[in-house]
Amino acid sequence: MMRISLLTVLLCVSTGCARVPIVPVRYVVGSAEAPTFRISQGKGTAILLVNEETGARAASMGVLELQAGAGVPEHIHEHSVEMLYVEEGGAEMTVEGQTMPVKQGDAVYIPAGTRHSARIPEGSPRFRAVQVYVGPGPEARFRQGEPVKPPAASP
């Protein structure tokens, strides 16, 4: 019996489970209670809804809002897939050098390791998209922005 327990512990330590902090899973996270950060030189916000801090270890979800003239510089998520669902407005996205328009109702898929960027043209309405990372982590960069008060809950 002791031998099985020791083997289990050794396997756990070697695979990394001993390093994973235990965070209670929050099954529902309201946007009013989610941390929100100002990004894109003050022309946007990122609402961090579901992530490792809420017990989600396989993926993260947030809401990205950008005003006209805002942009997301070219970058790569080496180990994370990014998906967007555009709720409002539109943007010009460049993925692996190919520029394409995205608009309300569009879904965007960006494989891990793929160069991409976005730009909201001047004079455009606000861009709002649900943003999902499969392989969480990239959303942590938004925490470098200025924290803002979460939006008030609607009645």
Side-chain angles (χ1 to χ4, degrees):
M1 186 79 139
M2 176 63 101
R3 196 169 177 194
I4 292 173
S5 296
L6 180 58
L7 179 59
T8 302
V9 169
L10 288 174
L11 284 172
C12 184
V13 170
S14 69
T15 60
C17 62
R19 292 175 282 159
V20 176
I22 297 174
V23 176
V25 175
R26 293 177 57 199
Y27 296 106
V28 177
V29 178
S31 60
E33 62 192 89
T36 302
F37 298 89
R38 196 168 317 283
I39 59 169
S40 193
Q41 288 102 22
K43 291 185 176 184
T45 57
I47 304 169
L48 305 182
L49 294 166
V50 177
N51 50 57
E52 290 179 335
E53 291 180 4
T54 62
R57 295 189 313 211
S60 68
M61 176 185 286
V63 175
L64 182 64
E65 294 181 346
L66 298 169
Q67 302 300 321
V72 177
E74 183 175 86
H75 61 287
I76 296 173
H77 310 295
E78 283 297 329
H79 305 289
S80 301
V81 167
E82 181 176 358
M83 293 182 284
L84 298 164
Y85 175 74
V86 181
E87 291 187 319
E88 294 178 30
E92 290 178 0
M93 293 201 66
T94 302
V95 180
E96 289 294 335
Q98 180 183 352
T99 300
M100 61 203 85
V102 297
K103 63 186 179 329
Q104 182 177 350
D106 287 349
V108 178
Y109 172 71
I110 303 166
T114 302
R115 291 178 300 120
H116 60 285
S117 63
R119 183 176 83 77
I120 313 306
E122 289 292 345
S124 296
R126 174 181 79 159
F127 175 83
R128 180 180 167 96
V130 174
Q131 184 175 47
V132 175
Y133 293 106
V134 179
E139 74 284 353
R141 76 184 186 281
F142 297 131
R143 293 184 181 281
Q144 296 171 1
E146 174 191 348
V148 295
K149 184 177 178 182
S154 300

